[in-house]
Every structure is written in C-alpha cells, then in structure tokens.
Amino acid sequence: MSLIVQKYGGTSVADVERIRDVGHRVAANRRAGHDVVVVVSAMAGETNRLLSLAKDMCPDPDRRESDVLVSTGEQVTTALLAMCLNHGEVPAVSLQGHQIRIVTDQAYSKARIQSIDDGRIRTELAAGRVVVVAGFQGVDGEDNITTLGRGGSDTSAVALAAALKADSCEIYTDVDGVYTSDPRIVPSARKLDRISYDEMLELASLGAKVLQIRSVEFAKRYAVPVHVRSSFTDTEGTWVVAEEASMENVLVSGVTSDRDEAKITLVGVPDQPGLAARVFGTIADANVVVDMIIQNASASGTTDLTFTVPKADFRQAMGLVEKLAKEVGATGVRTAEDVAKVSIVGLGMRSHAGVAAKMFRTLAEVGINIQMIATSEIKTSVVVDAKYVELAVRVLHDAFIEPKESAA
Ligand code: ADP
Ligand code: ASP
Ligand code: MG
C-alpha cells in the first residue's frame, strides 16, 4: 500500500461541486488501496477577500491578526471536504496546522516551516481515515497561527510528503502541468513532461507561480518527486524531478516574467570604496531583498547605482535611499515602478555559448530596450518597460522553444 499526498489549489475547491469532484478523486485512490493525505487551499478568491477585509478594517493590519484571519480560508475547505468524504462513506478527518503541529518561525505572512510532527497523521491513517490538512498555515513555537506566503499550500504539501516519506506528491491545479511559459500569456506554450528541480526553482523565483518556490526547495532537499497536474482531467501532468542527463540537451525550457519588482537609481554617487556596502547594508538591515544590481562606469568620480526591489517593499526602500542619498552626497534618486523582468531558463545554457546574445537580438528586433541584465548558470533575465512584457515573452518563446508539432 502506498501513501499519496495530494494538494488541491483554489480553483480545484472553488465551490461545493468542485469539492465533490475532489472527493471522488480521493475516494478512487482509497478504493485502490492507498493511504491518502489531502492538502487543500482556500476557495479561489477567498484569501484575497480576507486580505482586503483586513485592509478595510485598518490600513496597516496587525500582522499576527492578519494571519489568524487569512488562515481561516483553508479551515473552511478542510471541513467541507472531510464532510463530503464521510458522507460518501470514506472515513476522513480534517486537521489544521496547529493540530498537527506544522511548526514555523514567527515571520507572519511569510513564515518558514521548521518541523512537522507526523504522529497525529500516522494515527489517523492507521485508523483507516483520509487526513484532510489545511494548507498555507502553521503555528510558531508560542502557538500563534502563522501563514506561509501566497501560494503556500504547495509548500505545505511537499513538506508533508517529505515528513511522511510519501510515495508521491501530486499538486492538482487548473493547468495540466508546467508549461514552457504561462499558457495565459503564450497560447502556443507546451506542457513539459519532466523538469529538473533547479529549472523549476528558477522558473518559480522568476515569476511562474504554478508552484511556490519554497515547495520546490523542499522537493529538491528531500528528493520528493512532484507531479503537477490538472484536477479537471485525468491526463498525466509534469514531473518535477532530479536532473537527468538528457535534460542538458534542451537549451531553454521556460520563458517567464515578473511584474512584482520596481527599480531605484541612486544618481551621482561618489565613487568610493565602501559605498555599495553602505547602501545595500542599510537596505538589507530593513529586511528588503534586492534582486538585480548595476553600477555604471565611473565618470568624473561619480557613478550611478541601479537596483530592483519587490514592489511590496518599494516605499520602504525609497525612504531609506532618499535618506542615504543626502548622507553620501548623491545628486538624486530616480525610480520606475512600470518595469518587468523577463527571463529564459534552461540547463542547456550551461554548455552553450551565445544564448544571451540571441535573447538580446530577439528583443532588439521588436524594438524592446533592455534596462538591466542578470545572468546565472541556467538563466538570463532582463528588465524591460512593463508595457512590453507580454510581447517580450512571446517573441522569446518563439525564438527559443520548439513549436508543439515538432516537439519530441
Ligand atoms: P492553484 O490555485 O491551483 O495553486 P495557481 O494559480 O497558484 O493555482 O497556479 C496555476 C497558474 O499558474 C496557472 O493557471 C497559470 O496561469 C500559472 N502559470 C504561470 N506560469 C506557468 C507555467 N510555466 N506553467 C503552468 N502554469 C503557469
Ligand atoms: N490560499 C493561499 C493563497 O491564495 C495559499 C494557496 O492557495 O496556496 O495564497
Ligand atoms: Mg498556487
């Protein structure tokens, strides 16, 4: 008998009918003799609704109470699914993060899982019950409710699969796998049969929200094979797995974009040792994560320092940078929020020259100006004007990804 962890995202539990469908799927797995742990998200749109309710109450809601509020979305769906299963004579029990003890740190709204106690789940499974777990939530060392960041149910599921040494972890969503690009932006995107943990990590961190990045980190660390598939069909999805030799043959496996960053330029900074350390040290101390950085060649003893930060942290970063500009005698500060990052990702980039050049040429041919560039072993990212983001993704997809027909 095998143990399966299945996670159902918001659209898969959007209403009572959809939850019934999930119930049928789970029941079929039980009939086939498997032990099943189900992780559910809140109903589609519910987390957003709860977050805006908090904002209606006060502009800057208390972070602890905000997590108490948003975690309720998942409690609703656990109870409904467990009811549905019990009604269908599939014994089931719902459990919240604190009942299991999914222990996290105290970083409300973006907490990290530190440990999972598998005792209660194992007892319930041994008693023949399906265990329905609330995704997205945990509890800190002092019993406060925490949440794991948007899309965090993916991480709940993979972390549980790792803790329980499950035979498989299935992520059910509204697309039938991981595609070469977001199918909503690129209709010709095609489904990948398999993708390596490292490529999926890059795609997730560069904007492909189909899996939360931390879920992929867990999957890689504990070697959990993850099967991303649709809850609307029975077709085989995409396997996220350890790298295989043949994967290096594919130059680019995905094109992705991210509109969640803003750009800040410190203009006319004295070109002296220690300045970058001071600027980025101050920003890091405020817990703001800087992504891309460029520094212009120094002319007449001054330089420009440009970098990007998450839009959510933009106001805070701006406040710090304006203060720093005065202190270090910079000429001024320029900002742009209407930017987007477009990236290509592929293991094959490790061993092939000229990929970045082809990317820049492709963008130049349609008149898109590149504002910043960052590369790693398996990705190249550029920052462009936000109004060109979809065009950039499409032309890069055309240039680098084999069309569906000729794909192997
Ligand atoms: P769920 O609610 O099931 O967790 P999400 O909305 O979080 O679902 O993730 C699924 C969505 O991710 C898809 O509807 C799709 O638009 C988007 N997406 C972005 N990039 C990709 C990609 N490369 N492959 C598949 N889906 C992607
Ligand atoms: N409900 C949470 C969200 O909308 C967690 C999840 O769906 O994974 O972000
Ligand atoms: Mg999601």
Side-chain angles (χ1 to χ4, degrees):
M1 185 195 276
S2 59
L3 169 58
I4 306 175
V5 174
Q6 301 187 322
K7 176 255 172 177
Y8 291 90
T11 40
S12 307
V13 291
D15 53 40
V16 164
E17 269 321 300
R18 296 288 305 140
I19 293 175
R20 241 176 233 135
D21 285 350
V22 170
H24 291 140
R25 246 173 225 281
V26 174
N29 279 287
R30 283 298 288 150
R31 277 198 299 277
H34 304 302
D35 277 340
V36 188
V37 173
V38 187
V39 176
V40 283
S41 290
M43 291 177 171
E46 177 65 3
T47 307
N48 286 344
R49 188 185 75 83
L50 293 167
L51 283 169
S52 69
L53 204 57
K55 283 255 184 264
D56 289 348
M57 182 53 66
C58 47
D60 189 16
D62 182 273
R63 294 162 63 81
R64 178 187 184 279
E65 302 314 327
S66 183
D67 274 10
V68 172
L69 179 70
V70 291
S71 66
T72 60
E74 273 69 13
Q75 180 160 345
V76 171
T77 45
T78 55
L80 289 172
L81 179 59
M83 274 175 205
C84 164
L85 288 166
N86 282 317
H87 180 74
E89 283 164 24
V90 178
V93 60
S94 66
L95 291 177
Q96 310 306 302
H98 65 92
Q99 292 175 297
I100 296 166
R101 291 206 67 78
I102 297 179
V103 178
T104 71
D105 61 19
Q106 209 175 45
Y108 296 120
S109 83
K110 50 182 171 191
R112 283 180 176 269
I113 296 179
Q114 293 175 328
S115 66
I116 295 181
D117 184 346
D118 66 355
R120 176 75 188 266
I121 296 183
R122 293 225 183 263
T123 308
E124 298 293 352
L125 290 174
R129 284 189 273 270
V130 170
V131 183
V132 184
V133 177
F136 183 52
Q137 49 166 269
V139 63
D140 72 8
E142 292 163 20
D143 282 351
N144 299 298
I145 292 173
T146 55
T147 64
L148 309 178
R150 297 310 303 269
S153 299
D154 297 333
T155 302
S156 310
V158 179
L160 275 166
L164 294 163
K165 300 189 177 56
D167 296 284
S168 71
C169 181
E170 300 179 320
I171 304 286
Y172 284 93
T173 182
D174 57 359
V175 269
D176 56 4
V178 179
Y179 276 65
T180 49
S181 199
D182 187 341
R184 289 176 211 261
I185 300 180
V186 183
S188 62
R190 64 184 167 78
K191 189 176 77 185
L192 297 160
D193 294 331
R194 298 170 88 73
I195 185 167
S196 68
Y197 293 127
D198 287 328
E199 287 168 304
M200 194 63 235
L201 275 175
E202 292 283 10
L203 286 178
S205 72
L206 296 168
K209 300 209 164 82
V210 59
L211 285 179
Q212 197 200 36
I213 180 162
R214 285 187 193 158
S215 71
V216 192
E217 288 168 0
F218 265 102
K220 183 180 176 191
R221 188 169 342 132
Y222 296 100
V224 180
V226 173
H227 188 188
V228 180
R229 55 191 313 193
S230 166
S231 64
F232 294 79
T233 66
D234 282 323
T235 50
E236 179 87 358
T238 301
W239 284 91
V240 187
V241 289
E243 187 175 332
E244 295 159 0
S246 63
M247 286 177 173
E248 272 221 19
N249 300 337
V250 181
L251 198 58
V252 172
S253 33
V255 181
T256 186
S257 62
D258 184 354
R259 294 164 188 257
D260 286 344
E261 286 183 19
K263 193 174 81 165
I264 301 179
T265 304
L266 207 49
V267 187
V269 189
D271 196 8
Q272 291 161 359
L275 236 143
R278 180 161 172 197
V279 171
F280 295 112
T282 307
I283 296 170
D285 287 345
N287 237 331
V288 174
V289 179
V290 170
D291 180 22
M292 291 162 100
I293 302 176
I294 50 169
Q295 182 175 334
N296 291 356
S298 168
S300 64
T302 64
T303 182
D304 296 344
L305 207 53
T306 304
F307 54 93
T308 60
V309 295
K311 275 200 176 126
D313 297 327
F314 177 65
R315 297 275 147 226
Q316 189 189 3
M318 263 301 294
L320 294 170
V321 171
E322 272 167 352
K323 195 158 158 273
L324 274 166
K326 287 204 187 83
E327 287 169 12
V328 303
T331 325
V333 180
R334 267 203 311 265
T335 60
E337 285 189 85
D338 52 352
V339 292
K341 184 166 65 174
V342 179
S343 310
I344 56 175
V345 172
L347 291 179
M349 290 166 74
R350 269 191 210 139
S351 44
H352 292 79
V355 181
K358 180 174 171 184
M359 179 183 194
F360 306 153
R361 205 166 48 241
T362 305
L363 294 172
E365 276 163 11
V366 289
I368 298 178
N369 187 40
I370 296 169
Q371 303 180 11
M372 299 175 85
I373 299 169
T375 62
S376 79
E377 226 191 355
I378 63 164
K379 71 119 198 276
T380 303
S381 300
V382 296
V383 169
V384 300
D385 191 323
K387 67 174 178 274
Y388 297 126
V389 62
E390 296 200 350
L391 174 64
V393 169
R394 286 198 196 102
V395 293
L396 291 172
H397 193 273
D398 281 353
F400 283 103
I401 310 262
E402 272 182 72
K404 272 179 194 158
E405 299 71 50
S406 61

